[in-house]
Amino acid sequence: MGLDTKPLSTLHEKSSYDVADFPVPTGREEEWRFTPLSRLKGLHNGTAAVTGGVVVDVEAAPEVRVETVGRDDARLGRAYTPADRVSAQAYSSFEKATVVTVPKMTAASRPTVVTLRGSGAGAAAYGHILVSVEPMAEAVLVLDHRGSAVYADNVEFDVAEGATLKVVSVQDWDDDAVHVSHQHARLGKDATFRSFVVTLGGDVVRLSPSVSYTAPGGDADLTGLYFVDADQHLEHRLLVDHSVPNCRSNVTYKGALQGDGAHAVWIGDVIIRAEAEGTDTYELNRNLILTDGARADSVPNLEILTGEVAGAGHASASGRLDDEHIFYLQARGIPFDEARRLVIHGFFAQMLEKIEVPEIRERVLSAVEAELAR
């Protein structure tokens, strides 16, 4: 399997399983210009040798099958081909992969929880997860990242015809962790994919959620929430590749930032290819900057190669708390700190309601409360 090039003027022209097909990034490339390469601890240039591990523990629904397989398993890599050097390095370096299968015509009775726990910030590791949802099946999956590590991985979500997969991915790493991850969903005919990404912890976290379609009727909803503290770098780079007719996508990410050196990066790329007539897509990013010294970079990109679309649009905004909202609450006897907390809760409220796992929703709400108390 060699280098695959795409005839598009986008940031995603090539993909390959071979690390050598991608030059070592310098930070001048468009796809790396926001990322602090010096803080990736060698994940980008091949010097992060495997010295530690990330333990993967799965609490599966009774209807779900879980396997640990070697690199030679033929199912791995079918749904996703690495699109940058770190992703290719992770694909070529993992030793064991976790495969989660939801059998055909099965509705899982409870969420399947995959916990990934790092053993230390000085220990580099690479991983791979495949989630296969067979035709007409339904499941909820939680990816819970904890502990500390220098970690790069690829996650494949292969959602077959008429199937539904809902994923909650929580990045709750320790303060010194580095995590670079690609999470790709491939949707079959009339498949439904719902993703909710929560990014709170880690020194540097760079997530690249992406979606592709293989047949009409695919429906993807990508939602994200992040809270960035001082000197923390949280980066989300999304790609939705509409290559077949009559599919839908919606992207909504919201974040708050506080503290000197807090840096959020959101890149939203949506491609509507010439053959993808009838596409309906929208993407939105909002950033709430709570203190001086915080920085948010937000870049929505929409590339349309056909004039026959059902709808396409994007919006992005970054700003401070609305003084009028604070004044309105204070005028009714609510102290400033409580008024500030209520406004921020309102900013995130609609997002939190989309988390369908109550335990995770309460945990995220508590984490946001703890951030506001700092």
Side-chain angles (χ1 to χ4, degrees), residues 219-241:
D219 186 342
D221 193 298
L222 308 178
T223 306
L225 181 156
Y226 48 92
F227 206 119
V228 194
D229 281 322
D231 297 321
Q232 194 177 27
H233 179 95
L234 303 184
E235 182 169 348
H236 301 87
R237 307 185 67 93
L238 291 93
L239 168 65
V240 182
D241 189 351

Side-chain angles (χ1 to χ4, degrees), residues 11 25-37 206 233 235 237 263 265-267 295 297-301:
L11 303 179
T26 64
R28 293 187 292 272
E29 303 85 357
E30 178 61 32
E31 63 267 39
W32 291 103
R33 69 186 179 97
F34 292 113
T35 307
L37 297 178
R206 173 178 157 131
H233 179 95
E235 182 169 348
R237 307 185 67 93
H263 189 193
V265 177
W266 181 88
I267 309 294
R295 171 185 169 186
D297 289 294
S298 180
V299 185
N301 298 305

Side-chain angles (χ1 to χ4, degrees), residues 15 21 37 41 46 91 93 111 113 121 153 177 209 211 241 244 263 296 299 317 338:
S15 57
D21 286 330
L37 297 178
K41 299 186 179 180
Y91 187 83
S93 301
V113 180
D153 70 335
V211 176
D241 189 351
V244 297
H263 189 193
V299 185
E338 179 65 11

Side-chain angles (χ1 to χ4, degrees), residues 196 224-227 253-257 286 288 290 342-354 365 368 372:
F196 198 110
L225 181 156
Y226 48 92
F227 206 119
Y253 270 61
K254 288 186 176 183
L257 302 84
R286 292 282 187 264
L288 191 57
L290 302 176
L342 289 172
V343 171
I344 296 170
H345 268 272
F347 178 72
F348 284 132
Q350 187 176 11
M351 312 285 288
L352 291 168
E353 290 174 1
K354 289 189 174 185
L365 182 59
V368 171
L372 295 177

Side-chain angles (χ1 to χ4, degrees), residues 49-204:
V50 178
T51 57
V54 170
V55 177
V56 180
D57 180 58
V58 183
E59 295 182 17
E63 302 84 2
V64 172
R65 184 170 68 251
V66 180
E67 305 164 77
T68 300
V69 302
R71 319 184 31 84
D72 57 348
D73 192 292
R75 293 170 292 180
L76 304 179
R78 287 183 175 178
Y80 172 68
T81 305
D84 66 29
R85 187 179 176 91
V86 177
S87 181
Q89 184 72 61
Y91 187 83
S92 65
S93 301
F94 76 88
E95 295 180 358
K96 298 291 184 180
T98 301
V99 178
V100 178
T101 304
V102 186
K104 182 178 180 180
M105 305 287 291
T106 297
S109 57
R110 61 178 175 83
T112 292
V113 180
V114 181
T115 302
L116 300 96
R117 189 179 300 276
S119 58
Y126 299 95
H128 196 99
I129 295 174
L130 167 62
V131 181
S132 177
V133 187
E134 295 181 350
M136 309 304 293
E138 297 181 17
V140 176
L141 179 82
V142 176
L143 296 175
D144 192 1
H145 301 84
R146 297 169 177 258
S148 186
V150 177
Y151 188 54
D153 70 335
N154 295 300
V155 183
E156 301 178 82
F157 303 115
D158 198 2
V159 189
E161 179 178 352
T164 298
L165 176 62
K166 300 176 181 179
V167 177
V168 182
S169 179
V170 182
Q171 285 60 238
D172 197 12
W173 295 103
D174 292 347
D175 291 343
D176 54 357
V178 176
H179 186 202
V180 181
S181 179
H182 284 70
Q183 299 181 355
H184 180 76
R186 182 176 70 170
L187 306 188
K189 184 177 186 297
D190 296 327
T192 300
F193 179 68
R194 299 287 182 263
S195 168
F196 198 110
V197 170
V198 180
T199 308
L200 302 170
D203 178 49
V204 176

